[in-house]
Amino acid sequence: MAKSTTIFVCNGCGHRAPKWLGKCPECEEWNSFAEEAVKSNSPRSRQKNSPSQKRVQPITEIAGGESQRFSTGLEELDKVLGGGLTVGSLVLVGGDPGIGKSTLMLQSMGLAAGKGKKVLYVSGEESPEQIKLRAERLGSLSDTLLVSSEICIEDILDLVDKIKPEILVLDSVQTFFTRELTSAPGAIGQVREVAFRVMQEIKPRGIPTFLIGHVTKEGALAGPKALEHIVDTVLYFEGEKNHAYRILRAVKNRFGPTPEMGVFEMCRDGLRPADNPSEIFLSERPEDAPGSVIVSIAEGSRPLFVEVQALASSSSSIGMPRRMATGIDPNRVSLLIAILEKRQGLHLQGEDIFVNIAGGIRISEPAADLGVAAAIAGSFRNISIDPGIVMMGEIGLAGEVRSILNLDTRLLEAERLGFSQCIIPTLPKNWSQPGEGRLKIKPVKNLGEALEAVFKTVVSDSF
Ligand code: TYD
Ligand code: MG
């Protein structure tokens, strides 16, 4: 094999250097150099470009069509993947360390292997003994679940050729390395090269592969974010470690709809799909408490209802009130506070404001705006909102309530769960209410109208 040399490339401006540099001489960025392989004259790479890959052909004459799928064993995971695992797809499963990615994979692969699928689980993090211990607890022992602790990607690919598994799991991308680079496993160059090699080698063989990746503290750089463009599907496993609930989200999927999500409960014997997550999230909701509002999340085929809690209390530090948000973007909360001040005339400047999404869930949808604003106003005014009310709507900078996606599915689910009223954005003329009409609908044009409707008093006369 021709010896390939390596080069260091700046992630910021693309400046190339023969050795690692702390600061880029071109763009002056610190710590931006990553190692890359130079494979210009390798006969192997030329050989790979076979004539069939280079040929141009009409799209209608390309063989194949409807992609083949099979079950991963866990229904909730199948749903998030868009109806099962597609043959030949590369799926990245990202999440914080310790959130349960290995558990999710081992559990579903145990079930798939139990149905006769040949699975190769390669873990660079745990020894086969440790994996067995965990598999015992999860009830995932099966003769067709093969385990290896190999960490060199070239050796893993040789192993794949020898064993010919039907599903491959690589846990985690940060622990593998390629011999073509000299840097340590986990370095950005290694992570990218390993993922790219896996993608190149897996596609022609048609083996569906799960690549696990830890989200690093710095977020994007050496973590799964750097790989999102390479893979077919990106799933994120999220949740608060000290809460039992975990959300699996599809943020990119070449074979199914996004956003899609599944909810699991982490138990002593592994992950259990939550049948009725909204009921669980709402079960601990306080009654008659100012600052508590129900909002809906519709990032998948099934809408989810969660409680937003806000607490506004007069600040002891003049001029520098505290603003904290968990489970929601703090910038979005600051924006809503500014709108409440400017458009509703609420004097929030001297208030410490805390916003929390109960149950350790993260909301990224603007449809929660109305609920968050009402929770803050409710806590500030010390008025509680009827727990039978759900609020949904995006708020614009002028305080107007804007339309949201999937309104009908949210309303149907709200009716099914027994809510009495929904505060929603104004509707198109020919719209008719879905469901059996048990749910009272209150369309509102702006934030002022919404607050009036839930507090039954005029909060401000600025509209
Ligand atoms: P793990 O899958 O190792 O996380 P990751 O691969 O994302 O780093 O999950 C580890 C956590 O999950 C650990 O803190 C304990 C918890 N856990 C359970 O609560 N029940 C179980 O059955 C298992 C296997 C793990
Ligand atoms: Mg793990």
Side-chain angles (χ1 to χ4, degrees):
M1 192 178 123
K3 178 101 183 82
S4 57
T5 51
T6 65
I7 191 166
F8 289 83
V9 181
C10 171
N11 277 325
C13 67
H15 182 82
R16 292 161 152 246
K19 59 182 179 39
W20 189 82
L21 299 174
K23 183 182 177 186
C24 176
E26 189 76 30
C27 67
E28 307 200 331
E29 182 85 21
W30 283 93
N31 208 10
S32 63
F33 277 87
E35 194 184 22
E36 278 182 17
V38 185
K39 296 171 250 173
S40 52
N41 287 326
S42 131
R44 212 188 138 114
S45 64
R46 248 186 282 147
Q47 194 189 331
K48 275 267 170 298
N49 275 336
S50 63
S52 74
Q53 280 176 346
K54 280 191 178 164
R55 219 176 57 207
V56 177
Q57 51 186 328
I59 194 163
T60 45
E61 286 173 22
I62 300 172
E66 185 59 15
S67 49
Q68 210 186 329
R69 291 175 186 265
F70 53 81
S71 170
T72 57
L74 270 180
E75 212 178 291
E76 203 77 358
L77 177 58
D78 287 346
K79 188 184 85 180
V80 179
L81 286 169
L85 187 58
T86 309
V87 169
S89 64
L90 180 57
V91 182
L92 178 70
V93 183
D96 288 332
I99 205 70
K101 301 179 294 297
S102 306
T103 308
L104 175 73
M105 282 296 112
L106 196 59
Q107 195 172 337
S108 68
M109 290 307 111
L111 290 166
K115 286 186 193 150
K117 289 269 177 245
K118 193 176 191 182
V119 182
L120 178 59
Y121 190 101
V122 187
S123 174
E125 301 194 340
E126 291 161 288
S127 66
E129 293 76 23
Q130 281 175 305
I131 299 174
K132 183 177 179 193
L133 268 180
R134 192 200 292 246
E136 264 172 1
R137 185 137 61 100
L138 299 174
S140 297
L141 295 182
S142 171
D143 286 341
T144 51
L145 179 58
L146 309 169
V147 173
S148 161
S149 291
E150 189 58 65
I151 59 167
C152 171
I153 198 69
E154 283 83 15
D155 293 344
I156 293 171
L157 293 169
D158 286 345
L159 208 61
V160 168
D161 279 338
K162 209 168 87 200
I163 292 172
K164 298 195 169 42
E166 288 166 277
I167 311 178
L168 176 65
V169 180
L170 301 172
D171 184 5
S172 65
V173 66
Q174 277 105 341
T175 57
F176 300 127
F177 73 96
T178 162
R179 290 209 187 93
E180 289 185 6
L181 302 182
T182 51
S183 46
I188 177 72
Q190 284 283 8
V191 167
R192 251 195 255 146
E193 190 66 22
V194 165
F196 192 64
R197 281 296 299 277
V198 170
M199 201 265 294
Q200 269 186 320
E201 304 283 334
I202 255 41
K203 289 278 162 185
R205 292 172 178 81
I207 305 172
T209 302
F210 286 101
L211 190 62
I212 298 179
H214 294 290
V215 173
T216 47
K217 236 183 175 174
E218 303 82 41
L221 209 54
K225 279 264 179 257
L227 310 178
E228 283 186 358
H229 62 289
I230 298 180
V231 302
D232 296 314
T233 302
V234 180
L235 308 182
Y236 276 101
F237 205 36
E238 307 172 334
E240 292 286 322
K241 266 187 220 150
N242 35 9
H243 281 92
Y245 294 98
R246 302 279 182 270
I247 289 196
L248 185 66
R249 262 181 227 274
V251 294
K252 165 183 171 180
N253 196 351
R254 289 188 182 143
F255 307 108
T258 56
E260 183 59 271
M261 67 182 201
V263 183
F264 295 90
E265 187 183 359
M266 180 66 98
C267 308
R268 291 185 63 80
D269 54 353
L271 292 156
R272 204 173 294 156
D275 297 330
N276 235 330
S278 300
E279 276 170 17
I280 308 165
F281 289 128
L282 298 177
S283 62
E284 290 173 349
R285 162 177 50 149
E287 270 176 31
D288 204 20
S292 159
V293 174
I294 310 300
V295 299
S296 74
I297 311 178
E299 288 188 18
S301 39
R302 179 180 55 190
L304 199 64
F305 290 81
V306 293
E307 183 197 349
V308 176
Q309 298 186 323
L311 184 70
S313 70
S314 46
S315 179
S316 51
S317 58
I318 298 160
M320 282 285 284
R322 290 190 69 190
R323 300 286 153 90
M324 250 179 69
T326 28
I328 185 164
D329 179 11
N331 293 330
R332 193 83 202 165
V333 174
S334 299
L335 187 112
L336 294 173
I337 293 172
I339 295 170
L340 280 168
E341 281 175 358
K342 182 82 181 168
R343 307 286 168 202
Q344 298 310 121
L346 297 187
H347 298 290
L348 299 167
Q349 295 90 341
E351 300 286 309
D352 285 338
I353 297 177
F354 307 92
V355 176
N356 177 40
I357 311 299
I361 296 286
R362 255 203 88 75
I363 296 185
S364 51
E365 268 192 315
D369 286 354
L370 202 52
V372 176
I376 296 171
S379 174
F380 179 64
R381 290 276 169 136
N382 211 22
I383 311 176
S384 50
I385 294 174
D386 178 354
I389 293 180
V390 184
M391 300 186 78
M392 34 184 116
E394 179 180 346
I395 302 179
L397 291 186
E400 79 279 17
V401 174
R402 295 172 159 261
S403 59
I404 54 172
L405 293 173
N406 304 326
L407 180 66
D408 287 10
T409 23
R410 292 179 209 245
L411 293 178
L412 279 173
E413 183 72 359
E415 184 171 59
R416 193 183 72 78
L417 290 170
F419 285 102
S420 55
Q421 193 182 359
C422 277
I423 311 291
I424 58 172
T426 41
L427 301 158
K429 281 209 175 63
N430 49 3
W431 183 84
S432 63
Q433 187 179 343
E436 294 158 22
R438 270 179 285 135
L439 195 66
K440 219 172 107 198
I441 303 281
K442 170 78 183 149
V444 291
K445 277 209 272 314
N446 53 49
L447 180 56
E449 273 186 33
L451 296 184
E452 222 170 275
V454 292
F455 296 144
K456 307 269 187 308
T457 67
V458 178
V459 173
S460 153
D461 55 4
S462 58
F463 263 100

